[in-house]
Amino acid sequence: MQLEATELTEAEMALQMEVREYLQQRLPAGTYEVGLGMAANNDVEFSKDLGAKGWLGMALPKEYGGGGRTAVERLIVVEELLAVGAPIGFHWVGDRQSGPSIAKHGTEEQKQAFLPGIASGELGFAIGMSEPDSGSDLASLRSRAEKIDGGWRINGTKIWTSGAYQATTILGLFRTSEHKHEGLTQFIIDRNVEGLTISPIPFIDGTRHFCELSFEDVFIPDERRLGEVGGGWAQNTGELVLERGGVDRWMSLMPILEWWAASDAVKNSPGAQADLGAIAARSWAFRGMNLAVARMVDDGKSPVTEAALIKEMATRFEQESLDTVARHYGRAPDLNSDDPHESLLARAILVSPSWSIRGGTNEILRTVIAKGLGK
Amino acid sequence: MTTTNDHTVDRDLIATVISLFAAKSGHDVVIKAEEEGLLPSLWASVSELGLPLVGIDDTAGGSGGTLLDLLAILHAAGQHAVPLPLSETHLAAWLLSEAGQQVSDGPMTVVPGTPKDTLALTDGVVSGRAYDVPWARGVDRIVALVNDSSGAPYVVTIDPGACEITPGTDLAGQPRDVIEVKDLAVEAVSSPVDRDGLLLRGALVTAAKMAGALETIATLTRGYTEERVQFGRPISKFQAVQQHVVTLFQMATMASLNVSRAGRTAMDGPASFEICALKQVVDKNASIAIRAAHQAHGAFGMTQEYRLQQLTRRLNAWRSEFGDELQLASRIGKAISNAGKLEHVIVGGSAVLEV
Ligand SMILES: Cc1cc2nc3c(=O)[nH]c(=O)nc-3n(C[C@H](O)[C@H](O)[C@H](O)COP(=O)(O)OP(=O)(O)OC[C@H]3O[C@@H](n4cnc5c(N)ncnc54)[C@H](O)[C@@H]3O)c2cc1C
């Protein structure tokens, strides 16, 4: 395993400054609810504004409204968004993975139908993979798409679908034959399609982004099948690199860390300063790894093992960092506090165990890494 | 600012170095050095290639090459536990050349400078003690930074024959001595590098060695777990054992990448944040990796006869050299706490904040 060191070019650094300045104007402190990384609030207007700036769908081809830019440029934008806890919930999944996947595997008609909307912030995607009986073992999926005249009939249940309630579109993985891996196919599904019921599952912190999807004889035209019949598993693996290799995997906590770093509590405590320094050092090291992976993606590689290797330890680091901040806070933070930092810290404490579950559990990632290292 | 193109490494040279170290610094050689100290024939074989003075300008008598070449050589030396004062010779040569002095062949060492040190310079005469001097026994020259009465730093070269040396060893069994000089007349040259500059350079080169050692303990452990059979299967098949191997590769990959990163930044300008962050991270990774490697090896890894200990003992020794985890973390945290911009520093580094 070797990652190549890389740094930002002048042009990339200029982009960083541009995004930073824009966010200062668009999201002045106190005017929005600060969120925890990708689980942040949905704000369709904000998503559209980012789209208008050209900061969504950056890596999508220009002819479909994308930016024709690089994974590194997207990373730069994402870092700044996560650092301020921006309300990115609505566009997150489409921008990060559904868009690139449709660009890669979609038909001409699908690209025209979906990519411009992803790039403009009008379409919000959700990922329909997990099922009540299929979590880590996705090859055991049971929700079924059955071939009928002109399309497919879908039946079954998807669960833990983040943001489905607010999404416009769901990219779902369904069983189309009995083959374990080759029997899976992806479909692009309209959130309002007849026969689909979406029910929120209240999350541990009281939010309602988590959903259950129940499909009853839902008709999906064949034009909405993404890629080949039976190609879903392989397509999904490609998306996982995008899902796992990003800075979003350890930057959920950044708004809290930022606030804590600047607090008097840290200024007055050498012990807290040492903890802050250790967090900064490790963040810097992780950031270099994510940057190296983004350059690999831009070079046309698919760094599956590398992305898993980073995510597995970065999510643990993120949880440990939260413990550190909480320890220095001195008392139990109140979820309903008037101080937005305090309530955000309380929320982070509640949701942090999910960081090493979503996107593939650490146990599964370790198996992926161990296999990849053996090669 | 220089362009990315300047950040190249002499790949042919590094390939030669790696095979040389692999051939010359095997398990038995390292044991022999532990018993006998600096091995002249081993030194001669690296000296022939000019390796000890890579990264020092040829106009100053060095071998040329870039900082990245140097870091790659030290990384390889760390991989093979090469029992020679390579980084020490570099630091000594670097201090001399930065002060406009010529360097010449032969092993050297540098006085790292502990709070207990009493070396002081008055009118061209040095007196006092210095602690934790690596390889003082065995080198041709000891180079030190000493302050005159006004506090300005000077570079002085001390002949080991002119000191009283009290032998000691580090955790890896390598010489780490106390030196004492009394009224020794020296040539003292005003130094553009101060004690902190030496600490940063020392931290960078030490991290490179550590990253190399981490790479080796990762591959060594993977290999061992694939061969060791328990319950009828290789232990590498057990998830709990795989976790140790994964941890090791995580620690090593993170360390090696960031050595290159910090080195590249250091070539372009100030890199105090990057170097402190690097050494802090690598120190921490070392403690995690040492535990994982020994755990996966079971009792066998604890024995003298097996290679692992040569690397983990070195890692333990280097962890405390040129700044340890707590010291470096405190330094970074204090600076960021005063500046109050964490993310900007993480992504912008020393260009945003020198620590
Ligand atoms: C916040 C959050 C958001 C999510 N968003 C989405 C989403 O948008 N769309 C979506 O499809 N899914 C989503 N998920 C689901 C997520 O992908 C799954 O939770 C995850 O893959 C684990 O599946 P599971 O919960 O069924 O646990 P299980 O698979 O039942 O695992 C339970 C435990 O057993 C361990 N385990 C299982 N198999 C093995 C094995 N072979 N070796 C070792 N250990 C094993 C697991 O690591 C875990 O510790 C989300 C989850 C969370 C927490």
Side-chain angles (χ1 to χ4, degrees):
Chain A
M1 164 108 11
Q2 206 183 347
L3 296 174
E4 296 288 338
T6 174
E7 53 265 318
L8 298 187
T9 63
E10 300 281 343
E12 288 164 345
M13 287 198 278
L15 172 64
Q16 187 177 62
M17 291 316 294
E18 195 189 340
V19 180
R20 209 171 266 177
E21 278 159 22
Y22 173 76
L23 290 177
Q24 272 169 7
Q25 289 164 14
R26 178 64 180 78
L27 297 176
T31 64
Y32 67 105
E33 191 182 327
V34 176
L36 294 168
M38 58 187 129
N41 272 351
N42 284 21
D43 178 342
V44 182
E45 287 313 311
F46 178 69
S47 293
K48 285 185 187 160
D49 286 353
L50 281 186
K53 293 294 290 181
W55 293 336
L56 292 187
M58 290 176 75
L60 298 178
K62 276 195 170 140
E63 61 264 42
Y64 304 111
R69 303 178 82 163
T70 63
V72 169
E73 287 172 310
R74 176 169 183 275
L75 174 139
I76 290 165
V77 172
V78 164
E79 278 174 341
E80 299 307 316
L81 290 167
L82 296 170
V84 299
I88 54 180
F90 181 69
H91 68 255
W92 191 253
V93 167
D95 177 59
R96 181 183 64 196
Q97 67 198 79
S98 310
S101 192
I102 292 173
K104 193 161 173 202
H105 306 290
T107 61
E108 180 59 32
E109 188 260 328
Q110 287 169 347
K111 291 183 203 173
Q112 284 179 12
F114 295 103
L115 299 186
I118 291 174
S120 64
E122 270 145 281
L123 291 183
F125 272 71
I127 312 165
M129 293 188 304
S130 305
E131 294 180 9
D133 296 322
S134 296
S136 300
D137 182 14
L138 274 187
S140 70
L141 287 185
R142 286 210 304 238
S143 290
R144 174 170 299 278
E146 196 186 343
K147 187 78 188 80
I148 54 170
D149 237 14
W152 302 79
R153 181 166 50 220
I154 293 186
N155 278 292
T157 306
K158 292 286 172 186
I159 200 166
W160 320 133
T161 322
S162 299
Y165 208 68
Q166 293 87 358
T168 58
T169 321
I170 292 143
L171 187 53
L173 186 64
F174 292 89
R175 181 151 297 288
T176 46
S177 85
E178 296 315 313
H179 285 282
K180 203 172 158 204
H181 293 111
E182 294 85 53
L184 297 171
T185 307
Q186 283 185 306
F187 295 90
I188 309 169
I189 302 162
D190 180 11
R191 180 234 176 285
N192 292 316
V193 70
E194 206 177 322
L196 167 60
T197 313
I198 302 184
S199 332
I201 308 167
F203 202 51
I204 191 165
D205 65 344
T207 56
R208 298 164 76 85
H209 298 297
F210 233 27
C211 298
E212 180 176 289
L213 315 185
S214 137
F215 293 85
E216 273 177 77
D217 289 335
V218 170
F219 175 73
I220 306 289
D222 196 47
E223 297 89 73
R224 289 293 173 263
R225 164 171 52 80
L226 181 65
E228 298 301 314
V229 175
W233 179 264
Q235 287 164 209
N236 222 67
T237 308
E239 283 169 37
L240 285 174
V241 172
L242 303 171
E243 187 173 345
R244 291 172 179 164
V247 287
D248 28 328
R249 291 309 177 170
W250 56 268
M251 284 186 76
S252 307
L253 195 60
M254 202 43 78
I256 291 178
L257 290 175
E258 199 71 79
W259 150 73
W260 181 64
S263 68
D264 283 343
V266 175
K267 276 203 182 70
N268 299 330
S269 160
Q273 285 169 13
D275 285 338
L276 168 63
I279 288 171
R282 222 161 176 76
S283 300
W284 169 81
F286 277 125
R287 197 275 184 158
M289 298 177 93
N290 284 129
L291 192 55
V293 164
R295 286 263 194 253
M296 286 174 88
V297 170
D298 287 333
D299 286 346
K301 297 179 187 136
S302 188
V304 182
T305 311
E306 289 80 355
L309 176 130
I310 299 167
K311 177 185 182 280
E312 197 278 335
M313 63 170 155
T315 52
R316 278 187 290 122
F317 160 69
E318 193 175 28
Q319 290 166 341
E320 285 155 18
S321 300
L322 173 63
D323 283 349
T324 303
V325 175
R327 196 171 62 232
H328 286 291
Y329 197 67
R331 60 191 179 81
D334 178 354
L335 198 55
N336 300 313
S337 168
D338 291 337
D339 177 352
H341 295 118
E342 180 173 338
S343 59
L344 193 66
L345 177 61
R347 171 168 304 172
I349 291 169
L350 293 180
V351 305
S352 61
S354 73
W355 297 339
S356 48
I357 299 171
R358 61 184 183 189
T361 66
N362 279 20
E363 290 76 12
I364 294 298
L365 292 176
R366 285 179 202 137
T367 305
V368 171
I369 304 163
K371 277 198 188 132
L373 291 173
K375 278 178 197 153
Chain B
M1 199 175 119
T2 41
T3 64
T4 326
N5 290 339
D6 294 326
H7 292 145
T8 52
V9 176
D10 185 341
R11 306 229 174 240
D12 291 342
L13 171 72
I14 303 310
T16 311
V17 168
I18 290 174
S19 46
L20 176 83
F21 287 163
K24 300 271 179 181
S25 183
H27 186 249
D28 296 345
V29 174
V30 178
I31 287 184
K32 189 164 190 270
E34 208 174 309
E35 286 160 3
E36 298 176 19
L38 202 153
L39 302 173
S41 65
L42 184 61
W43 178 268
S45 61
V46 301
S47 185
E48 249 167 49
L49 289 177
L51 297 187
L53 294 177
V54 167
I56 303 295
D57 227 44
D58 26 27
T59 55
S63 307
T66 65
L67 176 61
L68 295 182
D69 293 328
L70 169 76
L71 294 175
I73 290 170
L74 293 175
H75 187 274
Q79 278 179 303
H80 295 280
V82 177
L84 290 176
L86 286 173
S87 58
E88 291 81 1
T89 297
H90 168 77
L91 291 172
W94 179 69
L95 283 180
L96 291 170
S97 70
E98 289 290 305
Q101 299 286 92
Q102 286 288 311
V103 299
S104 53
D105 270 357
M108 293 187 274
T109 194
V110 73
V111 171
T114 77
K116 280 200 294 183
D117 286 13
T118 55
L119 279 191
L121 179 72
T122 334
D123 301 329
V125 172
V126 173
S127 285
R129 279 170 171 242
Y131 295 84
D132 295 344
V133 183
W135 297 96
R137 286 168 286 155
V139 297
D140 294 354
R141 285 172 295 270
I142 299 169
V143 173
L145 269 185
V146 283
N147 293 343
D148 68 1
S149 50
S150 77
Y154 284 79
V155 179
V156 301
T157 305
I158 298 170
D159 176 359
C163 332
E164 194 180 313
I165 300 182
T166 312
T169 49
D170 68 12
L171 288 169
Q174 304 196 100
R176 201 170 99 172
D177 308 328
V178 182
I179 64 167
E180 179 162 16
V181 288
K182 288 189 186 118
D183 301 329
L184 183 68
V186 291
E187 190 191 347
V189 190
S190 168
S191 173
V193 176
D194 61 8
R195 202 163 282 295
D196 195 56
L198 174 62
L199 174 108
L200 290 173
R201 186 80 168 190
L204 179 60
V205 298
T206 306
K209 296 191 289 188
M210 294 178 75
L214 285 168
E215 296 278 355
T216 302
I217 67 172
T219 47
L220 206 58
T221 306
R222 184 178 62 195
Y224 181 78
T225 59
E226 283 165 358
E227 276 161 25
R228 171 80 173 163
V229 174
Q230 290 290 286
F231 301 101
R233 43 208 294 228
I235 58 171
S236 63
K237 296 285 175 217
F238 298 112
Q239 280 190 1
V241 175
Q242 281 178 357
Q243 287 194 26
H244 294 309
V245 176
V246 167
T247 298
L248 279 156
F249 277 89
Q250 288 176 325
M251 297 306 118
T253 307
M254 187 182 215
S256 294
L257 169 77
N258 286 299
V259 167
S260 312
R261 264 181 101 205
R264 287 155 73 113
T265 308
M267 282 179 77
D268 292 340
S272 59
F273 168 73
E274 287 82 357
I275 293 174
C276 290
L278 167 71
K279 180 69 166 45
Q280 205 278 342
V281 163
V282 174
D283 284 350
K284 168 119 182 138
N285 287 13
S287 67
I288 296 168
I290 290 166
R291 244 176 274 143
H294 279 294
Q295 189 71 22
H297 274 86
F300 189 47
M302 303 306 298
T303 62
Q304 286 276 354
E305 74 178 83
Y306 183 64
R307 178 74 157 186
L308 183 63
Q309 52 87 9
Q310 293 180 342
L311 296 145
T312 57
R313 284 165 73 213
R314 275 173 173 69
L315 284 169
N316 271 320
W318 293 333
R319 271 168 72 190
S320 53
E321 289 181 12
F322 298 107
D324 61 27
E325 246 183 277
L326 183 59
Q327 213 175 311
L328 294 165
S330 300
R331 173 174 173 166
I332 297 167
K334 196 169 170 194
I336 291 178
S337 158
N338 286 328
K341 264 297 163 212
L342 177 63
E343 188 255 354
H344 292 187
V345 179
I346 293 169
V347 305
S350 294
V352 175
L353 181 74
E354 282 201 62
V355 304

